[in-house]
Amino acid sequence: MGQQTSTAQQTNDRARQIVVAVSAVVAVVGSFIGSGAAGGTQIQNASNGALAADATLIAPGGSAFSIWSVIYLGLMAYAVWQFLPAQKTAPRHRLLGYPATASLLLNAAWILSIQFDLLWLSVPIIIALLAVLARIFVLMLHNKPLNTLDAVITDGTMGLYLGWVCVATAANIAAVLVASDFGGFGLNANAWAVVVLAVAAAVGIALAIYGRGRLSPTASLCWGLAWVAAARLNGDLLSTPAAIAAIVGVVVVLAVTVTTRLRASRG
């Protein structure tokens, strides 16, 4: 009986590793389609340009999306890393494998929703992606990395992924509202931009405190906010209030992260 259980677990472990690896390939293929390199429409040009850098006051500047290259490289590294024998039976990777798979498939689904001009569908997809990444973040915090390399590949990649998707979710929702001619309940676009950017910064602060100063979520979230500020100061859609709110958000989130990390180190 014990031998059968062990064999079944080994089969399940191998299946999990294969599923994660295949999902990573699907996500990377989706990224090629989203970049326009495989014949698809670039994300910023799809859905009538709803996600372009000048579509809303929350949209980051175009160069901000270069962070996806780093995230996808990390995801591929993670797919290879979790496939190695040492990670096959590791309890940590048993917990992370299928949530990571869900994030990869949701990523691909989000790209497809934009490519097929289903902008409204992109919102529940990206919210689900954010929820999955938040779950992964919690799991990583409660299950320590196996070693430094595991911390860099797994925690670093998923942290960057989470921080960026926080900003992307805010920008995505704003794009859908603008495309739907949302009236703003009496508030003008600048006021809404400041409110949304403040919420994004508050999420960054919460991640910093809960994560005891984890650097990767802060790095990507602040990267996104910084590019929002750059686009509002130098792009085609200018807004001083939105730029100031984004800059303040970067400063506050960085300060809280560093302070929390130092306190955790001392503790």
Side-chain angles (χ1 to χ4, degrees):
M1 186 68 177
Q3 182 64 35
Q4 290 178 344
T5 301
S6 177
T7 301
Q9 184 62 67
Q10 289 180 3
T11 301
N12 291 337
D13 287 333
R14 179 57 67 189
R16 182 198 74 243
Q17 290 178 305
I18 292 172
V19 168
V20 172
V22 171
S23 300
V25 173
V26 170
V28 170
V29 170
S31 74
F32 277 111
I33 295 173
S35 69
T41 305
Q42 288 185 327
I43 291 296
Q44 59 266 36
N45 297 326
S47 297
N48 297 316
L51 297 172
D54 58 353
T56 73
L57 295 180
I58 311 300
S63 297
F65 297 95
S66 62
I67 194 173
W68 273 119
S69 298
V70 179
I71 293 172
Y72 280 122
L73 183 62
L75 289 172
M76 290 304 295
Y78 166 74
V80 173
W81 173 251
Q82 63 86 40
F83 211 92
L84 298 178
Q87 278 65 253
K88 181 179 180 181
T89 60
R92 183 176 211 248
H93 288 285
R94 283 175 173 169
L95 289 171
L96 292 174
Y98 287 113
T101 296
S103 77
L104 292 163
L105 296 179
L106 284 167
N107 190 327
W110 183 85
I111 291 173
L112 288 176
S113 71
I114 301 299
Q115 288 291 322
F116 285 100
D117 292 330
L118 299 173
L119 191 61
W120 59 272
L121 183 59
S122 68
V123 172
I125 291 175
I126 201 168
I127 289 174
L129 173 58
L130 180 61
V132 169
L133 290 173
R135 175 59 179 164
I136 290 172
F137 188 63
V138 171
L139 289 173
M140 291 191 303
L141 289 174
H142 289 87
N143 296 272
K144 293 182 179 180
L146 306 178
N147 48 47
T148 301
L149 194 56
D150 190 33
V152 172
I153 293 175
T154 305
D155 299 59
T157 297
M158 294 302 175
L160 286 176
Y161 198 3
L162 172 60
W164 174 253
V165 170
C166 287
V167 177
T169 301
N172 196 164
I173 293 173
V176 172
L177 291 175
V178 169
S180 303
D181 297 321
F182 173 61
F185 299 124
L187 289 178
N188 62 34
N190 283 315
W192 271 109
V194 170
V195 169
V196 173
L197 290 168
V199 171
V203 171
I205 292 170
L207 289 175
I209 294 173
Y210 184 74
R212 298 185 293 277
R214 293 288 179 103
L215 298 177
S216 54
T218 290
S220 54
L221 189 145
C222 288
W223 169 269
L225 291 179
W227 276 105
V228 171
R232 300 293 74 81
L233 291 173
N234 301 298
D236 295 327
L237 185 61
L238 302 178
S239 171
T240 301
I244 292 174
I247 292 169
V248 170
V250 170
V251 172
V252 173
V253 173
L254 283 174
V256 172
T257 301
V258 172
T259 301
T260 303
R261 190 173 183 83
L262 289 174
R263 287 177 177 173
S265 298
R266 291 169 183 168

